[in-house]
């Protein structure tokens, strides 16, 4: 709980320091006056309020989630992309009216601090709320009885007030859209400092906007991911969604603002190709699984080979899911590489995301395999025999 926020602050400080050494000490230890700013708090609360208001707007579609323990299903508004477009419109109007968006680049530290504070307070409230929740509403992993463990992992699976689903909202809106907004502010700051944004900055902004835009366009697909179907909503996800994603996932753009990197068109084209390959695998795999889970007889997946399981559900054993057992992770990792390459090879810092993400996905894959083995037993063993590699074909 303390190490993650400390790591985030370390990264923010190091990115703007001359040597930008990931593994070195931070350039200085910020005092409370550098972390706390009422202006940052006001800005952050306005941002959360705006995203909540956009979430509550009428949706083009309302989707049903996976079946819960008590056999019920929850309904989710599909209006994330609409929220992104409306936010973009509002920001454009604001900038045209003189809003100094580039000033965000100077406010990252106090903003990250208030985002962390909100994550702490919010997860405490979620924990208290979960004490009143019925057993059927609890997540499988966050009910050990150890309050600290449960506070971190989250006791309740889908905490809601009325139809407002906190986990679903936080996973895709304030942090993810905040991430691209911070990137844009850094791009504008670079334009102010150097006359125009660098090619490397354009690439990082473009790739990450594609990733976020895609997540919101394919919003419904998140309903079959582990975060929604299995993990409770506690400190880890609240901090991850609200603070970690916007302030550490924008690290490459932060690095580029303070350490401009030369990048020619031939290298830029190779990097674009790497990102396109990663995106193709990531999107193909996620869409295939989501389509199959929603309707196994959908013509797009009906021809794929499957393994029946004792639960009545089937496992895909051809197509993307016949190549490795987590093709979506492979695509995501290839994209992570493409986001770091525009920052050159002189520093390790911009590769932090790739390193952290590899560790996160290897751990997540292992966790998922254990859950699947428990759920599907022999059928899962059969799947592992037929598809022996976890993430990278012939390597891992
Ligand atoms: N940028 C970031 O920071 C992060 C991004 N991600 C991305 O989020 C996406 C979702 O990841 P995550 O939720 O971890 O995992 P998945 O979307 O891969 O979901 C795993 C589940 O898929 C189902 N499944 C597994 N194998 C098969 C198969 N062969 N056929 C059919 N269903 C199968 C199982 O659930 P069941 O059978 O019950 O349906 C399993 O529990 C990924 O693309 C990942 O890269 C994840 C974490 C962080
Ligand atoms: C703080 C900890 C070290 C780790 C916290 C992990 C979280 C930051 C991630 C857990 C799963 C995530 C997903 C996405 C963002 C990061 C977190 C919240 C995701 C929304 C990114 C966009 C993708 O298209 C997705 C598939 C929708 C992702 C779902 C999982």
């Amino acid at each position: 709980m303390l190490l993650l926020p400390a790591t985030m602050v370390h990264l923010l400080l190091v990115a703007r320091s001359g040597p930008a050494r990931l593994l070195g000490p931070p350039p200085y230890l910020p005092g409370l006056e550098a972390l706390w700013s009422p202006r940052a708090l006001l800005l952050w609360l306005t941002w959360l309020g705006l995203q909540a208001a956009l979430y509550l707007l009428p949706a083009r579609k309302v989707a049903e989630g996976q079946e819960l323990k008590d056999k019920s299903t929850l309904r989710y508004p599909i209006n994330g992309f609409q929220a992104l477009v409306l936010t973009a419109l509002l920001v454009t109007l604001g900038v045209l009216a003189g809003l100094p968006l580039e000033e965000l680049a100077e406010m990252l530290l106090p903003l990250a601090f208030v985002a962390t504070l909100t994550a702490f307070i919010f997860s405490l409230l979620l924990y208290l709320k979960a004490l009143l929740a019925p057993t059927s509403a609890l997540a499988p992993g966050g009910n050990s009885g150890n309050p600290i463990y449960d506070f971190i992992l989250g006791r309740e699976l889908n905490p809601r007030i009325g139809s407002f689903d906190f986990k679903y909202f936080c996973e895709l809106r304030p942090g993810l859209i905040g991430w691209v907004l911070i990137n844009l502010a850094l791009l504008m700051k670079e334009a102010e400092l150097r006359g125009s944004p660098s090619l490397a900055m354009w690439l990082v902004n473009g790739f990450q906007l594609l990733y976020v835009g895609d997540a919101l366009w394919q919003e419904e697909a998140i309903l079959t991911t582990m975060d929604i179907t299995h993990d409770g909503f506690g400190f880890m996800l609240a901090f991850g969604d609200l603070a970690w994603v916007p302030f550490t996932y924008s690290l490459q753009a932060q690095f580029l603002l303070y350490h401009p990197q030369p990048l020619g068109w031939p290298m830029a084209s190779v990097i674009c190709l790497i990102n396109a390959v990663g995106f193709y695998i990531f999107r193909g795999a996620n869409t295939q699984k989501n389509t199959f889970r929603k309707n196994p007889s959908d013509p797009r997946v009906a021809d794929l080979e499957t393994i029946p399981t004792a639960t009545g559900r089937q496992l895909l054993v051809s197509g993307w899911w016949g190549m490795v057992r987590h093709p979506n992770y492979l695509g995501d990792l290839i994209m992570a590489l493409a986001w770091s390459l525009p920052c050159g090879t002189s520093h390790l810092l911009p590769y932090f995301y790739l390193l952290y993400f590899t560790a996160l996905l290897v751990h997540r894959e292992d966790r998922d395999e254990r859950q699947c083995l428990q759920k599907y037993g022999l059928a899962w063993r059969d799947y592992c025999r037929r598809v022996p590699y976890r993430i990278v074909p012939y390597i891992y």
Side-chain angles (χ1 to χ4, degrees), residues 139-368:
N143 302 291
S144 65
N146 176 336
I148 298 184
Y149 183 84
D150 295 347
F151 170 79
I152 294 179
L153 282 203
R155 273 173 64 81
E156 201 174 339
L157 185 61
N158 303 297
R160 286 181 161 212
I161 290 185
S163 63
F164 196 101
D165 190 298
F166 293 112
K167 183 167 66 170
Y168 179 69
F169 167 71
C170 288
E171 182 98 355
L172 285 175
R173 313 296 177 95
L176 225 51
I177 303 180
W179 170 20
V180 289
L181 192 66
I182 291 174
N183 274 350
L184 177 65
L186 292 160
L187 181 141
M188 288 174 63
K189 185 78 190 169
E190 197 187 35
E192 184 189 271
L193 290 179
R194 304 198 181 96
S196 66
S198 60
L199 180 55
M201 183 67 102
W202 277 118
L203 286 196
V204 167
N205 263 261
F207 293 161
Q208 297 182 350
L209 176 64
L210 172 71
Y211 189 67
V212 171
D214 167 76
L216 293 162
W217 182 255
Q218 304 285 343
E219 193 176 19
E220 203 177 332
I222 205 178
L223 300 179
T224 59
T225 63
M226 272 162 69
D227 291 27
I228 301 293
T229 60
H230 189 272
D231 295 346
F233 194 32
F235 175 76
M236 195 184 74
L237 263 188
F239 172 76
D241 290 340
L242 297 177
W244 186 257
V245 166
F247 298 101
T248 65
Y249 285 26
S250 57
L251 190 65
Q252 287 103 350
Q254 293 176 41
F255 172 82
L256 285 173
L257 177 62
Y258 300 102
H259 307 85
Q261 301 291 319
L263 180 67
W265 279 104
M267 187 57 190
S269 314
V270 174
I271 298 175
C272 286
L273 188 66
I274 297 176
N275 194 65
V277 170
F279 183 74
Y280 181 68
I281 301 176
F282 167 82
R283 182 44 41 225
N286 277 329
T287 303
Q288 199 167 69
K289 185 197 63 171
N290 191 48
T291 311
F292 183 71
R293 276 289 170 254
K294 269 176 35 199
N295 175 17
S297 8
D298 186 303
R300 285 170 294 173
V301 290
D303 289 343
L304 294 174
E305 204 184 331
T306 58
I307 300 179
T309 76
T311 63
R313 282 155 89 89
Q314 294 171 311
L315 289 168
L316 287 167
V317 74
S318 66
W320 287 114
W321 298 80
M323 181 174 81
V324 284
R325 300 205 291 273
H326 266 95
N328 47 354
Y329 291 3
L330 175 66
D332 223 338
L333 284 169
I334 296 175
M335 281 191 284
L337 173 68
W339 300 352
S340 301
L341 287 174
C343 303
T345 49
S346 57
H347 292 75
L348 185 60
L349 186 70
Y351 291 81
F352 170 80
Y353 177 72
L354 180 62
L355 298 174
Y356 138 83
F357 200 41
T358 306
L360 181 109
L361 291 185
V362 166
H363 174 260
R364 203 172 163 93
E365 200 276 341
D366 188 57
R367 196 157 66 92
D368 189 42

Side-chain angles (χ1 to χ4, degrees), residues 44-58 77 79 83 87 164-166 169-170 173-174 177:
W44 178 244
L45 293 180
T46 310
W47 176 248
L48 289 182
L50 170 70
Q51 290 310 319
L54 294 178
Y55 176 90
L56 291 170
L57 285 180
N79 61 4
T87 307
F164 196 101
D165 190 298
F166 293 112
F169 167 71
C170 288
R173 313 296 177 95
I177 303 180

